[in-house]
Every structure is written in structure tokens, then in C-alpha cells.
């Protein structure tokens, strides 16, 4: 995600003496799309945050950081959760807050150890709602095997928050030899996904005010460290792991393609999309490949290792419906090209902004 | 902060079948006081969050956690920042977000290494304002010697946030033999503060809408790891360090008194209170001992070490006005009792809620 994601060159715009460093798609203000995990999010980081942070910013400042302390390699990650509504089919902001950060650590190949939890509560929020969310958070932490070791609580006046926002940060440990990062994707790699896609996004949208539609889709929120551990236990050389959350599988594959300077050839018919997700996407005018997941991973694996990694995934409860969805190629570097059901091809772009706001 | 901070027993109240686990001071909803760092904050943690988190919560879940990974002792801390206004005399939410977490690590005796930064941005916020805050954050991180290694950005719809909220989490390393925590306070300990108190709270209040008053008070926000390092270099056995933020010196001393089961005898006249803070407090009806600081520390030191620790503090730019403000006693365990200017005594209580909302 560190490469230039900007739109075709746009002139810098001077606003009251301040020269906006970003290609402006709209007014010189934050719009919902800046939080979508797509191209606009990348522009905000690349053109505004990183230059502003200056020398203090680590060049790699991504979803998680890996660094060594006294010879021990640690992974460190953070996410804030602003999902709306707070409770949705299959989970709540409590489970997301644990699993989101646990999964960012697991995608670096780390064993998650501890989490911090920081709540921003809006004045007037029912204590019963907070207790429900906190219980879900505690249960998810126990299930993921992480301890909640430190925290913070802030309160903002009514009308300046939205019930409950949660930030978690987490620390994990990397075993020797583990080196999993987007830059390691290489032509020939087999690209897999651990199961059905688009489930979380549709579960949340199904209960959004004004959008209610009947569906049996439950969020797939789950901690993936156990699945990653089973994959590592095969002894395979895992090149890249990534959980396709905001922006879905499309955003994840584009980010990896850009980071590694490779192309991804995607088999559209191989994507495991449940019928209920396909139906709901039809109703909402969405493409499942852009819809968020909270309990799935995408893996890039050297071809010699692909079969045993796929077998290990399928033997794990969270990978039972794992599938090969494509390959890593030398052609069209930085791009994802899908072969469609009709035998044609189409470019699967990085989404610009946000199809589904506040999905996590 | 783990002991029982509850009010005299209040009956549990059943709200629509949900039995509130907390002594209710008001409706069964969040009020601003729950974010004040005083008794109500303690009740929320003690009676709601910790039971809800269950087995996943570490017993010590405080301002920062210390734990060992492969023999290396790490400190881990998090804070969210919701200060209003975002920019105030002497700083902004950017400096606070760095110094607040750096100081929580330093108060455990740790050398801060890395920070995560997570922004929750409100739709419509000016990019120029975000850039200004991010620059302040980057400059503060460089000054504190920490790297910004990972981050997150979320956007919430207009009217559901307040411009910019920032969460930071940080990791630090503890040298061998360092053991600094509230439970180590012991009768006989000399209690010191590193400089003028009440400065941050008054600086922020001075520019609050509807409260503007002329003052030259600038926030004292500063990273304290260097000062702590200078204190450790004396070889002294530092028992407790704590930065008196929300709830001021009064809340900090009460928390330490309760954690260690000791009493604190405070010399009111020894508290370094600048004239401008004293004047503003008079105007606002506040007691400086309850007003927040963002660049000060309170230290509990064995009497044999007190002189050299005080000298080391005074030799450091951030401790030039350090002062002995009291002693740790066996009497009145869990309580702070001040000797007043007139020679009388008064109990300095843990504040209930919040005198100054959204001060950090």
C-alpha cells in the first residue's frame, strides 16, 4: 500500500493559503470514501498522512508492523471500529474489534498475544448496550486466545459520537523464518481464498435502516490465527496472507499486485459466492468481489506448496470452503484481470471510495 | 485502580430485564462524568467492563501493561484523544496523542519505541485541519524518539463524530530491575511533582466556546521519557510514577493510595501552582489539584533516595520546578489528606465525575 495510488495527475489546489497535497476528487474535505479502504484511503495516507508525519513515519506504515526487540520479532497492529449498526446478524462491534486486530497480526504470520481496548462512548448510550458489546468482546478475545491487558475510556457529548466506537491494538510474536508480506508475491504463485466471500458486508447491510431486506446471511467475523497456524504447520513457504475486509477481495488483490509489482489473473467463476450473497448483491447493485469479509483470508503460495496448503485449509473449520481463485502473473503488473463466466476478461479495479460505508 | 471504587452500596437496578451491575448515579446511560478519570470512570471499568470481559481481561488491566516475551519485558499502553477544541494554546490533539501514550509507557519505567495511530475522521472535516494535526503528531513523535509504525483511518458521517478523534497505542521496553507501579508506594516515601500543576486543563478551557478568558497559560504537553530516564540514571529505587492527567494530581494520588493501601499526606502550600492557573481556577470555580496536566509526573521515592531524585529532576528542563509535595503515611489508608495554608486539614477526594470534559 506504499506505492502511488493517486489519480491521473491533478493540480495541487490552494485553499486559503494551504496547498492541498492530494488529488482532490471533491471539496478539500473528508468524504465517506476516504474511509473505504480503496484508492481514496490510499491517497489520504500517501499524500497527506505520510508527508505530514515526516521522519517519524516508518516507511512501511501498513496494516501491521513487524520489528525486532532484543532479537524477538513482534507484530503490532491497530484498527478502530465504527460499524453501524452496533449489532448485526452474526455478531457485533465487540467481535469485530477483537477479530479485526487479531487477523491483522495473523496475516503477518504472528501468534497474537495481547490486545488493548479503547472505547469512545457517546453521552446517553445505554449501559446495557455497552455491557452487551463488552461481553461479546471478552468472549471473542477468549476464543482467539488473546488477553485484554490495557484500555481506555473516553466520553463525548451527545451528537458528537455514535454510541460506541472501539479501537484495539494488538501485539503478536513471529516464529523464526516466517516472512509473510505483500511484496513477496511472485509470478507463478497460486492465489487462494479461505471460503465464501462477501458475507460480512451483506450481513451488516441487511439490517441498515432503510435497506432492510430478508436474508439468512450472518457475518463471518472470526479469528484466523488458528487457520494460519495450520497453514504454517505444513512447512509451506507462504508468500502473502491478507484478510479482505474493506473493499473486499478486489481491494486486497489490487494492493498486493501494486506492492509486489506483479499481476493477478483471477478466475471469476472460481470465487466462492453463496447464493444469498449473490442475490443481495443483485438487489443492492454490488459486486461480491468488492464486499467486505471479516473471517476470510487470501493467500499467495508458491505452486509446489499449493496442494498441501489448500488441504490444510480445508481440514480447518474456518477453511472448509477454501478455493484456488487465480494465479500471480508477470503480465499487467499492478493490475487484477478477471476471466469472466462468459470467457471474456475484465479489469478488476481498486475501488475508488466506499461502496458500503461503516462496515467495520 | 483495580480496587472497589463504588459508592456506598446501591441496589442493582433492573432495566428491561437487564440488571445494571453499577451503582447508578443517574440514568442507566453514559454521562460525561464516566469519562472524567475519577470515581465514575473507575466504577464503569470495575463493575461493567471487567465483569463483561470475563476471563480474557488481565487482572491488572490499567493505564499500561507490563509483560514478558521471550524474556524481554515490554510495556503496552493505549489512549484515545477527543480533546475539544482540536487546537489550543500550546498544542493540539496531535501532540497530546503522542505524549499521552509515550508518558503512560514512561510511567512504567519503559523506554517508548513505537506507536500506532488510528484516526476517526468526521465527514466534512477540512483536509487542512487534518494535515495540521498530523504534522504536530509527527513532530511530537520525532521529539519523543518514537516511530509511527502502523495505523488506521475510519470516516464517520457528519454529525456522528467531532472532526478528529485519534487513538494511539505504544510499545516500550523495560530495563532489567525496573519495577515501578502504584502498589509499590510505601509509608515513608517522599511524594514529588515534576513542576507547575493545572496548566493543560486551564489552557484548553481558556479557548472553549463560551468560556474564553484572557490568559497566557500554554498547555504543558510534553514527552516525559527523558525525564524518567534521568531519574532512573541516579540509581534510585523509584516506587511509583504517574502522570496526573484527567482528574489532576488529586485523582492520581487517590488512585495510588487505594492501589497500595497507604495514605498520602499532602502539603497544600508546597504545590507549585502558577499565578495564572490560580487566577483562572478562581474564575471557573476549580481547584488546581483536580485540573489536568499533560507534561508532569508524580513520583513516590524511598526517603534515602529523595534528594538525588529531586536534584536529577531539577537538572532536567521538564523538571526544573520539581517540588516535594507530601509523604506517604500509614494513617488513613486509601485517602489523601492535605494540610491547608491555614494549618487545618482536609480530605482531597477522588473526583466523582468530570470537572473539565474532553480535556484530552
Amino acid at each position: 500500500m506504499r506505492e502511488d495510488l493517486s489519480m491521473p495527475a491533478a493540480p495541487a489546489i490552494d485553499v486559503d493559503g494551504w496547498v492541498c497535497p492530494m488529488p482532490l476528487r471533491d471539496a478539500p474535505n473528508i468524504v465517506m470514501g476516504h474511509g473505504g479502504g480503496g484508492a481514496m484511503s490510499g491517497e489520504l495516507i500517501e499524500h497527506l498522512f505520510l508527508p505530514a508525519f515526516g521522519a517519524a513515519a516508518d516507511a512501511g506504515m501498513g496494516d501491521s508492523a513487524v520489528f525486532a526487540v532484543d532479537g524477538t520479532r513482534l507484530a503490532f497492529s491497530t484498527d478502530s471500529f465504527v460499524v453501524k449498526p452496533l449489532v448485526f446478524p452474526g455478531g457485533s462491534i465487540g467481535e469485530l474489534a477483537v477479530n479485526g486486530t487479531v487477523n491483522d497480526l495473523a496475516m503477518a504470520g504472528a501468534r497474537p498475544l495481547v490486545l488493548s481496548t479503547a472505547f469512545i462512548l457517546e453521552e446517553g448510550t445505554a449501559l446495557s448496550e455497552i455491557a452487551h458489546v463488552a461481553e461479546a468482546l471478552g468472549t471473542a478475545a477468549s476464543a482467539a486466545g488473546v488477553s485484554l491487558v490495557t484500555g481506555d475510556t473516553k466520553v463525548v457529548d451527545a451528537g458528537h459520537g455514535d454510541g460506541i466506537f472501539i479501537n484495539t491494538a494488538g501485539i503478536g510474536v513471529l516464529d523464526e523464518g516466517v516472512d509473510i508480506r505483500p511484496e513477496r508475491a511472485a509470478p507463478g504463485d497460486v492465489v487462494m481464498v479461505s471460503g465464501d466471500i462477501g458475507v460480512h458486508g451483506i450481513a451488516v447491510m441487511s439490517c441498515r435502516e432503510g435497506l432492510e431486506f430478508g436474508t439468512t446471511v450472518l457475518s463471518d467475523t472470526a479469528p484466523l490465527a488458528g487457520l494460519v497456524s495450520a497453514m504454517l504447520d505444513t512447512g509451506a513457504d507462504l508468500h502473502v496472507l491478507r484478510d479482505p475486509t474493506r473493499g473486499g477481495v478486489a481491494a486486497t488483490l489490487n494492493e498486493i499486485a501494486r506492492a509486489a509489482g506483479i499481476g493477478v489473473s483471477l478466475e471469476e467463476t472460481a470465487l466462492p459466492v453463496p447464493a444469498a450473497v449473490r442475490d443481495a448483491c443483485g438487489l443492492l447493485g454490488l459486486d461480491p468481489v468488492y464486499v467486505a469479509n471479516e473471517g476470510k483470508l487470501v493467500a499467495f503460495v508458491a505452486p509446489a506448496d499449493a496442494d498441501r496448503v489448500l488441504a490444510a485449509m480445508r481440514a480447518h473449520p474456518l477453511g472448509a470452503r477454501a478455493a484456488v481463485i487465480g494465479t500471480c502473473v508477470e503480465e499487467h503488473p499492478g493490475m487484477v484481470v478477471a476471466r469472466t463466466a462468459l470467457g471474456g476478461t475484465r479489469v478488476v479495479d481498486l475501488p475508488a471510495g466506499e461502496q458500503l460505508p461503516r462496515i467495520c
Side-chain angles (χ1 to χ4, degrees), chain A:
Chain A
M1 284 190 61
R2 296 284 68 76
E3 67 297 325
D4 193 338
L5 301 175
S6 65
M7 299 279 284
I13 295 183
D14 186 322
V15 185
D16 296 339
W18 177 77
V19 178
C20 181
M22 297 172 55
L24 292 169
R25 293 165 183 274
D26 203 336
N29 299 326
I30 286 293
V31 297
M32 294 307 291
H34 285 120
M40 294 181 71
S41 296
E43 288 165 8
L44 190 65
I45 295 168
E46 194 67 20
H47 295 292
L48 192 145
F49 279 121
L50 288 182
F53 287 167
D58 189 271
M61 204 171 166
D63 274 357
S64 67
V66 172
F67 57 93
V69 179
D70 290 351
T72 300
R73 283 192 309 151
L74 301 175
F76 183 33
S77 185
T78 191
D79 267 323
S80 293
F81 297 86
V82 299
V83 65
K84 191 173 185 172
L86 295 172
V87 178
F88 45 79
S92 75
I93 191 173
E95 286 93 351
L96 284 191
V98 169
N99 294 337
T101 294
V102 159
N103 291 351
D104 279 345
L105 297 173
M107 295 308 111
R111 282 179 288 116
L113 294 181
V114 296
L115 289 190
S116 63
T117 60
F119 285 74
I120 298 177
L121 304 173
E122 185 187 10
E123 184 187 18
T125 305
L127 294 173
S128 58
E129 190 162 27
I130 298 167
H132 176 84
V133 163
E135 278 165 21
L137 193 155
T139 303
S142 291
V146 290
S147 295
L148 308 174
V149 294
T150 186
D152 181 53
T153 308
K154 293 291 192 305
V155 177
V156 293
D157 6 350
H160 292 292
D162 204 1
I164 304 174
F165 297 147
I166 306 178
N167 176 282
T168 53
I171 304 176
V173 185
L174 275 86
D175 287 332
E176 223 178 292
V178 172
D179 181 20
I180 302 173
R181 52 196 165 86
E183 296 77 10
R184 288 200 65 215
D189 280 1
V190 177
V191 181
M192 310 171 190
V193 66
S194 62
D196 289 339
I197 68 166
V199 182
H200 175 73
I202 295 304
V204 173
M205 292 310 287
S206 73
C207 58
R208 276 276 172 84
E209 207 178 337
L211 274 182
E212 293 91 345
F213 54 90
T215 177
T216 53
V217 177
L218 303 182
S219 170
D220 60 344
T221 180
L224 296 171
L227 175 61
V228 172
S229 179
M231 295 163 74
L232 284 169
D233 284 348
T234 64
D237 184 14
L238 306 177
H239 291 172
V240 188
L241 297 176
R242 186 64 77 96
D243 53 335
T245 55
R246 287 182 290 179
V249 168
T252 291
L253 293 179
N254 270 282
E255 284 167 18
I256 295 168
R258 289 168 187 224
I262 50 83
V264 174
S265 175
L266 185 66
E267 288 293 329
E268 207 169 71
T269 54
L271 283 165
V273 183
V277 169
R278 199 175 292 282
D279 292 349
C281 281
L283 198 68
L284 296 170
L286 298 175
D287 181 338
V289 83
Y290 289 103
V291 178
N293 311 274
E294 289 290 339
K296 297 299 175 330
L297 62 80
V298 165
F300 282 56
V301 183
D305 291 333
D307 287 347
R308 57 183 164 144
V309 171
L310 189 65
M313 288 168 83
R314 287 183 173 161
H316 190 281
L318 292 176
R321 286 182 45 76
V324 171
I325 59 169
T327 50
C328 190
V329 296
E330 285 183 29
E331 295 79 39
H332 52 80
M335 287 175 70
V336 179
V337 176
R339 206 164 61 173
T340 67
L342 300 174
T345 59
R346 64 165 180 132
V347 173
V348 178
D349 261 339
L350 187 66
E354 181 139 48
Q355 287 193 312
L356 303 171
R358 298 185 57 183
I359 213 74
C360 61

